[in-house]
Amino acid sequence: MSPSSQYKFLRQAPRDGLSTAMQPSRFQKLHIDPWLCTFLILNACLGLTVLYSASAQDVGLVTKQAMSFGIGFAVMITLAQIPPKVYQAFSPYFYAFGVLSLICVMVFGEIRMGAKRWIDIPGFGSVQPSEFMKIGMPMMIAWFLSRKPLPPSFMNVVISLVLIGIPFLLIAEQPDLGTSVLILASGMFVLFLSGLSWKMIGAALIGAGIVIPIAWEFLLHDYQRQRVLTLLNPEADALGTGWNIIQSKTAIGSGGFSGKGFLEGTQSHLHFLPEGHTDFIIAAFSEEFGLIGVTILILLYFAIIFRTFQIGMNCFHNYGRLVAGALGLSFFVYVFVNAGMVSGILPVVGVPLPFMSYGGTAIITLMATFGLVMSIHTHR
């Protein structure tokens, strides 16, 4: 039986002993990919610029975000120095630590705004363990599948789904449907890239079609169902649940082709746009920089994703290829979900826009993922 078309992702990469011996460059000695690092720096600079305007020129907020970027880059460079074989060996332990942390959240987690998602550590502050699984999930599934023949057998697929399902259910119970779906997707991407057959993919889609109505009736909370209904008709409660989407669309549309200009946005500065410096920051950005600015931002995101895929394709081992490919697809989902909810084509789920929305934990986590990607690329 011939490999499925997805398996080309694995087969097209060069093997050990087939590549031409080359002297490592200065960046390779530092274990830094110059292209990916440049794209990340540009994105960070753009994010700080937009945050300054969207936060009503709050210098303190921008300074905290800049410090988060600094810590994030330090974490990225540090993690890039560690060989991928260390990450591969460490993957099951990191996954187990993440699952144990999620269980701790259920037992004695800190409740904020009706959700139990944080653990308060004395002397350190609050920690959100679900962020750990954004890295731990693809690492674990890649570790499991890379030790087996690829494409994976039916039994290995079932075991992978169990490993994916445990954190997904624990995070969805907090409740945090947005993060749980993102983590579910990161694990499924590893399965897809490992050469999952189209028959299995078709069966999974049919299964999802059966599960979704059941989840709507018995698993989703009332506020989660309300978000979906608001997406379909935001004008039904224009001053309540539909306010966020309506004001976001107004900000995006008012930007036009070239935007109103830096610091000239009205929706965010007059506080019509809710959470303009966090979840809805792309709406504030679109109002001031218009279609031209959004196009530049999307191209910058595309460059990061494309470079991550390149690194995965050129990797010499299955673990690295699967992890890099899954992290690249996961990054795409983060961008797509945030842009989709802000523009009114997806429900509002509270997913920040990578490197743009205010929030130190998300930035450091993303930088850590790209540190792992750079490690895969520079350790030959």
Side-chain angles (χ1 to χ4, degrees), residues 32-260:
I32 296 297
D33 178 63
W35 287 106
L36 185 55
C37 192
T38 299
F39 298 145
L40 294 176
I41 291 174
L42 290 175
N43 205 329
C45 293
L46 184 59
L48 291 174
T49 301
V50 177
L51 180 63
Y52 178 73
S53 176
S55 64
Q57 305 176 41
D58 189 336
V59 178
L61 206 66
V62 176
T63 302
K64 291 181 180 179
Q65 186 83 331
M67 292 176 62
S68 297
F69 273 116
I71 296 172
F73 275 105
V75 170
M76 181 189 72
I77 294 173
T78 301
L79 295 181
Q81 312 306 310
I82 303 173
K85 289 184 178 181
V86 176
Y87 291 115
Q88 184 173 3
F90 183 68
S91 294
Y93 302 103
F94 187 56
Y95 173 86
F97 170 76
V99 171
L100 181 62
S101 299
L102 293 175
I103 295 174
C104 291
V105 170
M106 293 183 60
V107 177
F108 48 83
E110 182 181 351
I111 299 177
R112 298 180 187 176
M113 297 178 290
K116 187 186 289 188
R117 304 173 186 173
W118 297 268
I119 296 177
D120 187 21
I121 301 177
F124 183 79
S126 298
V127 177
Q128 189 172 355
S130 58
E131 292 291 330
F132 301 150
M133 296 308 299
K134 291 181 178 179
I135 307 176
M137 176 64 78
M139 288 175 62
M140 178 61 191
I141 305 303
W143 171 84
F144 175 73
L145 293 178
S146 64
R147 300 165 63 247
K148 311 290 183 180
L150 296 179
S153 65
F154 177 77
M155 183 55 63
N156 289 335
V157 171
V158 172
I159 296 174
S160 299
L161 291 176
V162 172
L163 293 172
I164 294 170
I166 293 173
F168 168 74
L169 294 175
L170 289 173
I171 297 172
E173 183 63 23
Q174 292 180 354
D176 190 355
L177 184 61
T179 302
S180 63
V181 170
L182 293 178
I183 290 174
L184 172 69
S186 68
M188 297 301 295
F189 287 146
V190 179
L191 271 176
F192 178 80
L193 295 175
S194 68
L196 198 64
S197 68
W198 287 110
K199 291 182 180 179
M200 290 188 181
I201 294 175
L205 293 176
I206 294 173
I210 297 173
V211 170
I212 288 176
I214 299 175
W216 175 267
E217 290 293 334
F218 302 104
L219 299 180
L220 293 184
H221 296 264
D222 291 338
Y223 79 93
Q224 293 171 338
R225 285 194 288 267
Q226 184 59 46
R227 286 180 177 180
V228 178
L229 296 176
T230 301
L231 169 69
L232 300 176
N233 186 18
E235 287 77 16
D237 189 9
L239 298 179
T241 56
W243 176 266
N244 292 0
I245 295 179
I246 293 173
Q247 296 302 321
S248 176
K249 288 181 178 180
T250 302
I252 294 173
S254 64
F257 182 73
S258 58
K260 297 179 179 178

